Amino acid sequence: MTRPLLVVPLLVAAVAGTWLLRSAFLRWRDLRVAQTYELAAEQRPLLLRVGGAMVCGMCVTALAVTVSLDGRAGRSVQQAAPAAATAERSPAPPPAPPSSGAPSQAAASPSGAVPPVITQFKAVGQPAGGELLEGAVPGPDGRPRTVRVWLPPQYKEDPNARFPVIVLHAGGARTTADAELPDVFDGVASAVKLGRSRPFVVVVPQSPTGTARPCELVAAAPQAVADDTALRTAVGAAFRTLPPGPGDWGTLGIEAGAPCAVAAGLARPDLYGAAAAVSGRYDPAALAQTGADAPGTSAARLLLAAAKSDTAGLDSARKLQGALQSGKGRAAQADVRISDIVQDYTPERVRLRLVRVAVQYLAESLAKPA
């Protein structure tokens, strides 16, 4: 009876130790950032978490040894049963003793309950006053693909705050959107600085491979979009983001990446509360079919933004809006808005203002229930 009763506290100690280790890692990372920026930071919470994790580790070891010894005692009692009773059965071979250095089965179970390894992200820059990190996350085909995560300046100000997410899609093959448009984070930070948006964590996955124009593939086959369960799990485990869902996650695409954002928003309104596309060129028929095939009952929310002087871009946006409004299923229910008021004296300024408009739209849309 002792062995089953000890398994429960053993598992509790293992889970508690794992949580404390992860919390200590996050606290250590915050301390490292604070030291980098010469900010004051208290080390006591980190030491308490490390100490608690060590105590849990010792408890797990002691309980595992006790469970193992209890199991051996039970086997000894069974072997001491009367010979007359065992003679009626065919003799069973005794259990093989554990090899030297190998953990017992009872001790191995708690270690098997440890959560999956967290993807390690390393800092690669500090654009727009935030911090840009990079890691490798397995893609749908099992191969690692690059994922970059931009943390806004507000991320380090409150270690307990959790942030909504924008998934930023790239338009070129085997690249990330910030490599195509290095100033994209300036537009996101500008919207927050002007009070038009709350701070977002921006997730920038590497685009799908196999074609020179991945967004054309995604428009026709939205399951090829670079965002998937593995990516969302890795980001949620490594950063203080809000859970994936239409209330806190949006998607954004700029220029060649715009059709990817539209396809993701149309195909997954249950995941993305809104999608914004900037200066894109679209395949109305393919995207209308993507919207018609969308599962669930939620209606997509889309912003198609282009500069006032971008005649071709605005024409493509209006054609997509018309195709969706006259489409079938969920496509006809999509709330599609067009922004055509931005103008400025340089292409870089125009793009910054368009990104600012897109981020403001995402912030306002995610704040409202579907």
Side-chain angles (χ1 to χ4, degrees):
M1 293 296 294
T2 306
R3 188 176 184 182
L5 293 176
L6 290 177
V7 170
V8 174
L10 191 151
L11 292 175
V12 171
V15 172
T18 301
W19 181 87
L20 286 169
L21 277 177
R22 181 176 180 274
S23 180
F25 170 76
L26 295 175
R27 177 66 64 173
W28 170 80
R29 187 178 62 189
D30 291 341
L31 285 174
R32 187 181 63 177
V33 172
Q35 292 172 357
T36 301
Y37 291 96
E38 300 182 357
L39 300 174
E42 187 178 358
Q43 296 185 357
R44 183 179 179 184
L46 171 62
L47 298 177
L48 290 176
R49 286 167 171 77
V50 172
M54 294 177 63
V55 172
C56 289
M58 290 187 290
C59 291
V60 168
T61 302
L63 289 170
V65 171
T66 303
V67 170
S68 178
L69 294 176
D70 183 68
R72 293 182 182 180
R75 288 195 296 270
S76 300
V77 172
Q78 292 177 355
Q79 292 173 358
T86 58
E88 297 177 359
R89 310 171 189 169
S90 58
S99 59
S100 175
S104 65
Q105 183 177 358
S109 296
S111 61
V114 176
V117 177
I118 299 174
T119 300
Q120 298 297 321
F121 289 83
K122 61 179 182 179
V124 294
Q126 297 177 340
E131 184 176 15
L132 184 63
L133 300 101
E134 181 179 298
V137 178
D141 58 358
R143 298 178 181 178
R145 40 85 185 268
T146 300
V147 175
R148 288 190 163 190
V149 178
W150 180 77
L151 305 178
Q154 296 78 10
Y155 188 89
K156 61 178 178 288
E157 294 176 0
D158 184 355
N160 297 316
R162 304 181 74 84
F163 293 81
V165 173
I166 293 176
V167 178
L168 180 62
H169 295 282
R174 297 175 297 278
T175 187
T176 56
D178 64 304
E180 300 174 326
L181 305 167
D183 59 349
V184 63
F185 301 121
D186 293 321
V188 181
S190 175
V192 178
K193 186 176 181 180
L194 294 176
R196 300 180 182 179
S197 170
R198 51 181 167 162
F200 280 95
V201 167
V202 183
V203 177
V204 194
Q206 185 181 31
S207 57
T209 59
T211 176
R213 298 179 178 178
C215 285
E216 293 182 358
L217 169 65
V218 171
Q223 64 271 19
V225 73
D227 180 20
D228 55 25
T229 303
L231 183 146
R232 295 190 291 273
T233 302
V235 169
F239 303 100
R240 301 193 312 273
T241 59
L242 292 168
D248 300 300
W249 280 52
T251 181
L252 171 64
I254 303 168
E255 297 178 1
C260 279
V262 173
L266 288 171
R268 294 298 308 272
D270 59 322
L271 172 61
Y272 298 116
V278 173
S279 303
R281 304 294 188 269
Y282 312 101
D283 183 341
L287 290 169
Q289 187 61 48
T290 294
D293 295 339
T297 59
S298 301
R301 293 173 174 172
L302 304 178
L303 173 71
L304 309 176
K308 191 173 184 178
S309 59
D310 186 3
T311 305
L314 291 173
D315 181 63
S316 181
R318 292 188 179 101
K319 288 180 178 178
L320 174 58
Q321 183 184 45
L324 292 172
Q325 290 175 347
S326 61
K328 301 177 182 179
R330 302 293 171 213
Q333 300 176 9
D335 179 9
V336 185
R337 302 182 185 182
I338 295 178
S339 173
D340 59 357
I341 61 173
V342 171
Q343 57 182 344
D344 217 309
Y345 52 88
T346 67
E348 292 75 20
R349 288 283 305 172
V350 169
R351 184 166 56 238
L352 183 143
R353 293 184 62 184
L354 284 170
V355 172
R356 185 191 301 162
V357 168
V359 173
Q360 180 179 352
Y361 169 80
L362 292 175
E364 292 174 353
S365 299
L366 296 181
K368 301 174 183 177

